[in-house]
Amino acid sequence: METSTDGAAGPSAVAAVPPESLSPSRASDFMQCPLLYRFRVIDKLPEKPSEAATRGTLVHAVLERLFDVPAAERTAPRAKALVPGQWDRLRESRPQLEELFVDDPDGERLARWLTEAEQLVDRWFALEDPTRLEPAERELFVEAELDSGLKLRGIIDRVDVAPTGEVRIVDYKTGKAPRPEYAEGALFQMKFYALVVWRLKRVVPRRLQLVYLGSGDVLTYDPVLADLERVERKLLALWEAIRLATETGDWRPRPTKLCGWCDHQAFCPEFGGTPPPYPLPVSRAGEQPAGEPAPDGSQPPVRVAESGETEQGRMGPD
């Protein structure tokens, strides 16, 4: 599971830099809405913490920590007992999470929220038996560089390795399983991780497994090398689109039903907003990319987009 920047809404003081790598979450952002990708990766606009995303982070932490104890002690009561302590640790590491329940003086909403987290943890035991699992890795950061130079990175919730050497990649989801027609989109993240593992170890994972704690479903897929090669081609095309948008400053909004949950409506043209001034040098069609010499060896002029320019977004869907 990956998380985005938390905090109060508003422009960030963090210096903007061109993107250098791609993760499953950021790839999904660009496919969902290029302007959202820009807001998160280049402008680094802060986002308010949400109860749902924070609950997911909490549940992930509990499931990770449970494997610290001997197999026989990995019981549902033991796991649920970890919830309060992991919540305290989470608040200590991310003070901004305090604002989630600032308007809950009696603690009723917080108590209900913690109970919901415990229920998700409890449901996991109906889907997997942790007393029979000994993960090779938990919350594993992986990074691989493709032949093109594109860096892929992410964090895998769990990696299981069988005595025969077969690899299973597992990801916990605290939401509900998607309908069958949307399963391919759900598997994109897992195939991304499988590609990275293959590039690092030259081993195609035997199984990809999504554990949906919200609905009590388990979605599995057994990839083959051709799957990973297709994902790599897709990511290369996606990265080329990101590179072009970075150079031109042309990040177009793509309205969907998900816009209602976006923290950046105040900056989005689709909602009457204006994006912040583009913080990177841009080049126009036919110009050399900023920082690259022209064929005659001369350096092209660098022009920075000014506030109020409209090329970085437009009104209406594609």
Side-chain angles (χ1 to χ4, degrees):
M1 186 192 74
E2 296 172 294
T3 56
S4 57
T5 305
D6 292 324
S12 172
V14 180
V17 295
E20 299 178 346
S21 63
L22 197 59
S23 70
S25 293
R26 300 293 78 84
S28 295
D29 284 345
F30 188 85
M31 289 187 289
Q32 174 188 326
C33 175
L35 187 58
L36 174 63
Y37 177 97
R38 178 203 144 169
F39 287 160
R40 285 179 166 169
V41 176
I42 294 179
D43 296 297
K44 296 181 174 63
L45 298 184
E47 297 180 354
K48 296 179 181 179
S50 73
E51 291 187 20
T54 305
R55 183 170 51 237
T57 302
L58 173 59
V59 170
H60 276 74
V62 169
L63 299 186
E64 179 190 5
R65 293 275 69 84
L66 184 64
F67 286 103
D68 290 340
V69 303
E73 299 178 24
R74 297 170 194 162
T75 64
R78 178 67 178 266
K80 290 188 287 186
L82 293 174
V83 170
Q86 291 302 313
W87 170 233
D88 289 340
R89 290 184 59 184
L90 196 57
R91 285 187 300 150
E92 290 174 4
S93 63
R94 304 182 188 181
Q96 65 270 27
L97 296 180
E98 295 287 352
E99 69 182 82
L100 279 173
F101 301 101
V102 68
D103 58 347
D104 182 36
D106 297 329
E108 293 182 4
R109 191 156 54 86
L110 172 60
R112 183 169 59 252
W113 182 82
L114 290 172
T115 298
E116 291 168 352
E118 292 176 357
Q119 292 170 343
L120 291 171
V121 170
D122 189 55
R123 185 170 291 143
W124 178 56
F125 286 82
L127 305 175
E128 295 190 288
D129 182 359
T131 65
R132 300 171 61 87
L133 297 171
E134 289 298 339
E137 301 287 353
R138 291 172 279 153
E139 296 294 316
L140 174 66
F141 174 78
V142 290
E143 181 179 71
E145 184 171 330
L146 303 182
D147 296 338
S148 65
L150 170 60
K151 291 182 180 179
L152 304 178
R153 58 176 57 176
I155 298 176
I156 302 175
D157 288 347
R158 199 179 85 218
V159 178
D160 301 331
V161 179
T164 55
E166 294 176 312
V167 175
R168 176 172 64 183
I169 297 177
V170 181
D171 194 75
Y172 308 119
K173 299 295 185 184
T174 50
K176 297 180 179 180
R179 295 199 299 267
E181 60 266 33
Y182 298 113
E184 182 60 31
L187 284 169
F188 170 75
Q189 174 185 5
M190 304 303 285
K191 291 180 180 180
F192 183 109
Y193 290 145
L195 171 61
V196 175
V197 170
W198 175 56
R199 280 294 189 174
L200 289 174
K201 303 293 185 180
R202 287 296 164 182
V203 173
V204 177
R206 174 69 177 82
R207 173 155 294 181
L208 310 178
Q209 181 166 303
L210 284 159
V211 181
Y212 287 94
L213 303 176
S215 58
D217 295 299
V218 176
L219 176 63
T220 63
Y221 183 81
D222 296 342
V224 296
L225 182 56
D227 290 320
L228 309 188
E229 292 172 338
R230 281 193 294 270
V231 170
E232 181 169 340
R233 290 193 296 270
K234 179 176 182 176
L235 291 172
L236 290 174
L238 190 65
W239 188 247
E240 177 61 20
I242 291 172
R243 185 195 64 77
L244 182 61
T246 302
E247 292 180 355
T248 63
D250 184 9
W251 301 90
R252 304 192 177 195
R254 183 175 296 138
T256 68
K257 295 179 180 179
L258 297 176
C259 291
W261 285 272
C262 184
D263 277 344
H264 309 306
Q265 293 181 9
F267 298 104
C268 180
E270 295 294 329
F271 292 87
T274 301
Y278 189 57
L280 296 176
V282 298
S283 62
R284 298 293 181 261
E287 292 182 358
Q288 290 296 116
E292 293 187 12
D296 61 2
S298 63
Q299 291 292 333
V302 174
R303 181 177 181 277
V304 179
E306 299 177 357
S307 177
E309 290 187 338
T310 60
E311 75 207 30
Q312 52 198 327
R314 56 170 188 78
M315 303 299 290
D318 287 338

